[in-house]
Amino acid sequence: MKAAVKALLSNVWSRAKSPFHTDFSYESDDCDERTLLYRHRKQRGVNIGSWFVLERWVTEQPFRYAAAPCQSDLDVAKGAHAKEIFENHWDSWISANDFEWLSATGINTVRLPIGYYHLCGVDPSVLRGTDFDGFEHIFGGAWSRIVRAIETADRYHIGVLFDLHTSPGKQNQDSHSGTSSPVISFFQTQSNLQLMIRILRVLVSSLRSLRFDHRPALSNVVGVELLNEPKPPYPAALQAWYKNAITEIRCLDPSLPLFISDCWMPDTYADFVKSLPPSAAPICLDHHLYRCFTTEDISTAAAQHTASLSNPNAPTPQTFARVSGILEDAGGNLIVGEWSGALNPSSLLGVVDERRERIQFIQAQLDLFERYCSGWFFWTYKKQYPGDSGWSFRDAVDTGIFPCRVGLFPVKPIPHDHTEWAGRKAVARGRAAARHASYWTRYPAHYEHWRFENGYDQGWEDAYYFLTSGVFEHGSVSELGLRGIWRKKRVCEHVLREGRSDNLWEYGESMDTDSHDASSLSLFYMPPLHAIFWHYRKLIH
């Protein structure tokens, strides 16, 4: 049994040396301290839309010489002056000043949409037989700019989540999938499916090289999303491809978090993640949430939209609670990869205070995501023309529709006194252990409450480590975000040290007073996190 668990662990994390981490080593990979923090802290982010994958409603200027219908990257590539237009846009749309501003706002991660054709500077063969075949001279300079983006983000302690926004043959009918054709042929041919896996291998290999061979080493890539908003003919078609792609990628990088789209079917794909073998981990499920497109969205008042997101008994919060629980129990996590403050004008008819309605709508979403998700990413960072606070994060913050800062910021130095830290931990653990033991006296049986105390200690130490880490000197403090993935690692480590037991659940038992379900470990780290933030509440806000 221990050998089986060790095999599981070998596909998760490697060695991390710090005062607050146990020394754990695995055979398949080596994650340094910066990598661990970047990947597993709570991710509060924005999408940098229309930087590499152009969208005309976000950036109009690059389309001025595009071929008809003037809506996609391929249209721009077929037009006049394409190479100059693309390269000027890549060099000017986002600068170091943007990353500096995002960091000061509390944003610690960006989701970066790219097309498969942006990798032709690494491997020209990725274009062969695709709609972009013959355009290597236009897109060949993209990869060096992408590397520069990672470097700039790292300077401001911002992680980068790569999002494959396009695929050979298109995975959805939208023009942001690379071409203006409405035909979806990605799922129809085996050659497309295989080529996309090879493209992912090229990307993951290149990112891994940046981590180990680049100088300085770049540790701020937090993961890769395999495919943006795919629309398969039926779920099994996409799930089969997901399995094949994950297996191939795990041969290259066993520990890189992989993100998969839920196709707006979160329950179905949460069950899919649960069904994957241990070697697939770590996996995050990406859900996109908008409230302005459907007929129902248009006919719903803004206040009702807000209520449907803030009422814990409403369908959406119930779905988030259920899906995040399934994923965390399976060692996965839920993120919202795209959302916005946009409302259809019909939702604001008759509203007396539109600004107030918009603020409440955004806050309801933030509260929902903070409660159930390991990360969220607003769409989009900015638009060419200012004034759209529903879709432009920059405008939303500047106009006060969005909070001026997110996350926790230190107001004075956080103490690193180990004696004080140990004393506070002992007091908090004693109280939690007493409540735990008292509760379970109602159900006489054989327990091993020492496992609970061990789990509480480990949770406290990990939470404290994230909070006080000196790796990131500026911006918001780090918080443990990918709890399901992290908890799975810690529970497996505990099994290796202490052996299996029918009372293993005590190691990760939640101390949430409203939930004492011994079969669920989904809130493993919440009590230590809450205790730590309570003890140091005067130092952060």
Side-chain angles (χ1 to χ4, degrees):
M1 181 60 71
K2 287 189 177 182
V5 176
K6 188 171 184 180
L8 164 66
L9 285 173
S10 68
N11 292 288
V12 191
W13 287 267
S14 195
R15 178 171 297 135
K17 293 184 180 294
S18 77
F20 305 110
H21 270 76
T22 55
D23 183 38
F24 43 90
S25 60
Y26 308 104
E27 301 166 353
S28 58
D29 200 9
D30 188 10
C31 288
D32 57 76
E33 184 177 350
R34 288 178 65 87
T35 303
L36 284 166
L37 283 165
Y38 267 124
R39 289 180 177 179
H40 302 108
R41 64 184 178 178
K42 195 170 188 72
Q43 296 162 1
R44 299 180 175 98
V46 297
N47 287 270
I48 305 188
S50 207
W51 191 2
F52 291 97
V53 177
L54 298 177
E55 300 193 38
R56 186 167 182 172
W57 68 280
V58 177
T59 44
E60 174 75 24
Q61 189 173 12
F63 290 90
R64 60 192 184 277
Y65 294 112
C70 310
Q71 295 297 320
S72 67
D73 279 354
L74 186 60
D75 296 339
V76 177
K78 289 179 176 179
H81 314 294
K83 179 179 174 65
E84 178 185 358
I85 287 172
F86 275 119
E87 293 187 348
N88 286 342
H89 179 73
W90 296 335
D91 291 337
S92 63
W93 179 239
I94 299 295
S95 71
N97 291 336
D98 293 296
F99 284 105
E100 182 179 23
W101 183 88
L102 286 168
S103 179
T105 309
I107 295 301
N108 65 13
T109 314
V110 295
R111 184 171 178 259
L112 183 62
I114 65 169
Y116 67 89
Y117 36 90
H118 294 123
L119 297 173
C120 68
V122 179
D123 183 350
S125 70
V126 299
L127 302 185
R128 195 171 301 144
T130 73
D131 292 316
F132 288 84
D133 200 347
F135 290 102
E136 179 192 346
H137 64 291
I138 292 176
F139 293 99
W143 181 249
S144 63
R145 271 93 170 176
I146 291 171
V147 172
R148 193 182 310 154
I150 304 171
E151 293 172 334
T152 306
D154 188 48
R155 288 208 304 272
Y156 295 97
H157 314 303
I158 291 176
V160 180
L161 168 59
F162 275 85
D163 158 43
L164 266 296
H165 225 66
T166 75
S167 70
K170 298 193 68 172
Q171 76 279 13
N172 63 46
Q173 73 270 29
D174 299 313
S175 57
H176 58 62
S177 292
T179 80
S180 297
S181 169
V183 178
I184 302 172
S185 61
F186 172 69
F187 299 99
Q188 312 309 320
T189 65
Q190 192 65 26
S191 60
N192 283 338
L193 297 170
Q194 288 300 319
L195 176 57
M196 190 61 187
I197 290 176
R198 190 163 71 80
I199 288 164
L200 285 165
R201 288 179 59 94
V202 170
L203 175 61
V204 171
S205 296
S206 300
L207 296 176
R208 188 171 174 82
S209 178
L210 293 178
R211 199 176 121 209
F212 290 106
D213 304 325
H214 192 268
R215 292 295 176 266
L218 296 176
S219 303
N220 60 321
V221 173
V222 303
V224 169
E225 183 154 358
L226 304 188
L227 202 56
N228 178 68
E229 296 183 351
K231 294 185 177 178
Y234 46 89
L238 177 61
Q239 291 172 5
W241 181 80
Y242 275 158
K243 287 181 179 179
N244 292 334
I246 291 168
T247 299
E248 292 275 345
I249 293 170
R250 286 291 169 243
C251 294
L252 297 173
D253 195 323
S255 66
L256 178 70
L258 300 179
F259 294 68
I260 62 172
S261 170
D262 69 356
C263 303
W264 293 280
M265 295 187 290
D267 285 286
T268 298
Y269 283 86
D271 288 338
F272 168 72
V273 172
K274 186 177 180 179
S275 73
L276 291 173
S279 58
I283 301 290
C284 291
L285 189 64
D286 177 16
H287 179 71
H288 293 180
L289 190 149
Y290 293 117
R291 288 292 182 266
C292 57
F293 292 125
T294 68
T295 302
E296 182 181 358
D297 290 340
I298 294 169
S299 62
T300 301
Q304 290 177 279
H305 279 304
T306 299
S308 71
L309 296 165
S310 56
N311 178 359
N313 297 316
T316 297
Q318 287 283 301
T319 297
F320 271 64
R322 181 175 61 254
V323 168
S324 65
I326 293 170
L327 291 169
E328 291 196 7
D329 284 346
N333 282 100
L334 176 67
I335 71 157
V336 174
E338 293 184 19
W339 67 285
S340 78
L343 289 164
N344 190 278
S346 298
S347 296
L348 294 164
L349 290 176
V351 169
V352 176
D353 189 342
E354 180 175 322
R355 174 185 169 82
R356 179 171 173 270
E357 292 289 350
R358 290 186 179 277
I359 290 174
Q360 291 180 340
F361 176 59
I362 286 178
Q363 191 60 54
Q365 293 182 86
L366 283 172
D367 291 343
L368 179 66
F369 306 155
E370 288 288 332
R371 181 169 185 178
Y372 294 115
C373 301
S374 64
W376 50 260
F377 298 83
F378 190 95
W379 185 280
T380 182
Y381 166 54
K382 68 176 183 178
K383 295 178 65 176
Q384 179 180 339
Y385 300 111
D388 189 347
S389 58
W391 289 105
S392 167
F393 180 79
R394 187 89 189 214
D395 286 318
V397 172
D398 288 345
T399 59
I401 299 298
F402 197 100
C404 61
R405 289 205 302 190
V406 293
L408 300 172
F409 283 77
V411 295
K412 61 172 121 174
I414 298 174
H416 291 260
D417 185 335
H418 183 79
T419 303
E420 180 192 12
W421 157 75
R424 290 179 183 270
K425 180 184 71 170
V427 171
R429 180 192 61 225
R431 291 172 179 168
R435 289 195 300 267
H436 173 78
S438 175
Y439 177 85
W440 290 106
T441 56
R442 307 180 208 175
Y443 307 96
H446 170 68
Y447 297 109
E448 294 174 308
H449 294 325
W450 60 270
R451 291 186 187 270
F452 173 87
E453 295 184 19
N454 283 1
Y456 194 93
D457 277 353
Q458 188 65 69
W460 177 287
E461 291 170 4
D462 288 344
Y464 188 87
Y465 171 61
F466 272 79
L467 178 67
T468 61
S469 172
V471 171
F472 306 122
E473 300 85 359
H474 306 290
S476 59
V477 299
S478 296
E479 303 164 59
L480 180 57
L482 274 66
R483 293 197 308 270
I485 292 171
W486 194 268
R487 184 202 66 217
K488 183 175 183 178
K489 177 182 75 68
R490 288 304 193 199
V491 169
C492 290
E493 289 174 343
H494 178 74
V495 170
L496 284 179
R497 289 193 307 269
E498 306 293 349
R500 297 198 64 86
S501 167
D502 289 340
N503 292 310
L504 182 61
W505 60 269
E506 290 195 75
Y507 183 78
E509 161 72 345
S510 166
M511 287 309 301
D512 185 292
T513 55
D514 295 324
S515 175
H516 290 282
D517 179 5
S519 66
S520 174
L521 304 177
S522 63
L523 294 175
F524 177 35
Y525 279 97
M526 293 308 292
L529 280 169
H530 287 165
I532 289 224
F533 293 143
W534 172 255
H535 284 305
Y536 293 99
R537 64 194 181 282
K538 294 182 180 179
L539 306 178
I540 55 180
H541 67 80

